[in-house]
Amino acid sequence: MVEATGTTGPDRASRARQRRLVGLGLLASALALALGIFALAEAYGKRWSGLALFATGDVGPRVLASPEAYPRLREVVPGTRLVEVAGHPLSKADDIFSILGEFRPGTEVEHVFRTRDGRILRVPLVVSDFGIEDILGIYLPVSLAGILFLLGGAIPSLAQPDIATARVLAATVIGLAGNFAFLLPDYFLGHAYSPFSFLFAAVGLPAFLHFALQFPRERWPLTRWPRGALVAIYGVSTLFWVVFGYAFETRATFLFDLEGIEVVFILLCLFTLLANLITAAWQHEDLAARNVARLVLPSTGLFLIGSVSLAGTTWGLVEIYLPPGLFLLPISFLAVALAYGMVGYDLFELDRDARHLLARGGLLMGALALLFILLVVLQLWVRPSLAWAVAGGITLLTTSAVPIVTSFYSRVDQAVEEALFPQEKRTRESLRSITSEVGRLRDSEALVAFLRRDVGLLLDDAPLCLVRGGADGTLEEVDPLPGRLRIDLEPGDPLHAALCDVGGIEAGHPRSPAAADRASHLGAEVVVPVGVPGGVVGGLLVGRRSDGRSHHPDDVQLLYDLGGTVGIAVENAWRMDQVQALQQRLEGENLYLRAEVDQDFADSEMIGRSEGVRGALSQLRRVADTDSSVLIIGETGTGKELAVRTLHGASRRSDRVLVKLACAALPEALLESELFGHERGAFTGADRAREGRFEIADGGTLFFDDVDTLSLGVQAKLLRALQEGEVQRLGSNRVRKVDVRVVAATNCDLEQEVRAGRFRADLFYRIAVVPIRLPPLRERLDDLEPLVAHLASTLGRRTGREITEVSAGALAEMRRHAWPGNIRELRNVVERALVLESGPVLRLSGPLSAGIPGSDGERPSNLESLAGSVLGDESMADLLTAYKRALIEEALRRSDGNQRKAAEVLGIHRPSLTRMVRDLGLRKS
């Protein structure tokens, strides 16, 4: 139902009251029809000369005259009054029957008319008996057209009385049909014009203008002054008919002017309705409203042509006789179109019917034009009756032959569709594309993108989202829209229950008020369940159109029609997503493990019997069975990564992958991509989608080495991921749940970094649930001998040497050494000895002080000053900072400012050195 102004409350009492009002109008129309039939019965068999006369003696429309009288009445236009018949003055119209009763049928009788300007017209007319031919040829077609028009306009108001447009249409057809169809015999044969007639006219004509301004879209002045315009329309009309009734009873001279105003008003209403239909047919935002306008448009255009032609014949401007029923034939088309378009229709049947009706309407207009031309030409040489017969026959043969030529009619139909229905054509093509392509999609995000593109086109770019999942689990949104929160429906959510419950959604709306409120809160105007019984549960949540209008019921039906096909596609995409997720996880783990295999795991065991090592191992074993975050603290080279491997191997996650992220080795620009992954096209060079370390480590352990080197920006994003257990790839709106145990390692004092503002306190407390300190090698010299033996054995196999013994001198010198590089330095010393020396006994290739800053015996002045510091003059932290500064400055001096070489001399990573240079405010060259 097309509605321009909205609906009133559709309660039963209101609907019943409105139906009663329409019923009273139909009863009044039935009484008017009864009066017309009674007038026909009264006039049947009486003598008449083919004239239609008002009670005042004024001549009625020439089209209601008999075919014999029609050509002789060309000058007898409205406003002309019959004053004398066969020499007898005519005081009242009823006298004509008694006067003509004196003459035999076939006799010519002179009729004297007085025009409005005082001229006298003497017209001979043939007397005949008013019989069945006159009833069937003149008045019966008019009454039948009025009945059809009345039913077509009243049906919508009876079917949906709460629609304002339908009520106005009912008032229009009741008034017009009663006044201009049913009461015509009473006017022109019974010569009566009662207040009953004024009531029909006073209701029908203003209602006609009201309807023309309201259907199918409300127009000015109703949009500007809704109440004032209606008061003016109906008030002026009532005043007009009061004046008209007075003029009619008193035979006032200005009655003719009032009749002219009435004709102009009717044509104005028709032009207004036609203009409203034309603009709505191509500019209305609602597809259904456009189709209704296009459906009604051809018959309205024909009605206007018929009305103009009728006015032309009445005023003597057109000298062509056509039966009155032919002028009113478009009313039948208009009645059927209004009833079909306003009561109940299928959107796509309406599209097809409107298109075919426009094509046939164009052909019909062409046929009428051909008939008109033939009549004008033929009446120049032959009688009007013969001209009518010949022109009608030629037109009938031509119009009958056109549909037979299929190719011609198909081209006409196609041209109409391309010119007038381009969007409907796109709709049908989109539907074919949807039904043929949606079942082939196997990727959830591709499916959602396809639905938003093709279905969204049909719904005027309304926002659409898809949620899916298991009946007992969370219904997660697939590929959320940018700038909007992800919609996840937990099992306790009322909308979740409505989607999982068969029958929980009806006509796009949840039955449960709680579910309806939840859908409204999420911005979903239409909710359509999709899925496969016993399989995946899901739903399409569709918001309002881009212009804010609500969806038409046909839009909802369209979504329901697509629900089955979409459900199969959702099921397929769900299963395929699971397969792809497992495949991607395996591929990611395999890639990572292949990269890790390239590293040397020969020294992956923590070796040592010192108290510090045993304490660290004891802590690792105790915390291994939990999922608590662990922070490994130790100087460079103390074996922090080995401790992490030991922790992972003893945990419940040992069957899953251990993923390492060297924070200091990656630039800040790449850290976020490495952590969270990215989608294809997320940034320059992202030619394919890639999982982040969080996704690869899902179910396993994620190790952050040198966590202190993370920037504050990355720390914030990392903290959110750890708190929520969710990650989001760069360039994607989808949030992925991950289950990861986090282990971090650092060689600096993180608490000091927190106080200095270089490390977030909330992240520190998140990762340092269980801190474990690894002692440096200088604190565990008792472990030197087993460590050297282990390294000599494993590295000897690489270099091709078999070591059976470590020299006592080498061990003694090792015990005297400070080992600033810890086990990493010890490994280098052992490997150097294996390469440069020979024999089964491991001997040092040179003094251990070589390569150590200040080992040449000539300490720099700043180190000398530190050596002379008195204990207690400064705090230990200040002394350590000053010593660190001195070591770094010396290493930079010896390497000529090359930080990579300086880092090698110090036995630390270059990013660590860069960070320390920055923190200490040292020069970089």
Side-chain angles (χ1 to χ4, degrees), residues 56-59 77 79-83 112-115 251-252 255:
T56 58
D58 290 307
V59 177
V77 297
T80 302
R81 181 169 295 175
L82 180 64
V83 296
V112 180
F113 301 91
R114 180 187 298 118
T115 63
R251 299 188 180 188
L255 178 62

Side-chain angles (χ1 to χ4, degrees), residues 158-181:
L158 294 174
Q160 300 185 30
D162 53 325
I163 304 299
T165 306
R167 299 195 300 270
V168 176
L169 177 61
T172 300
V173 298
I174 289 172
L176 296 184
N179 187 65
F180 295 102

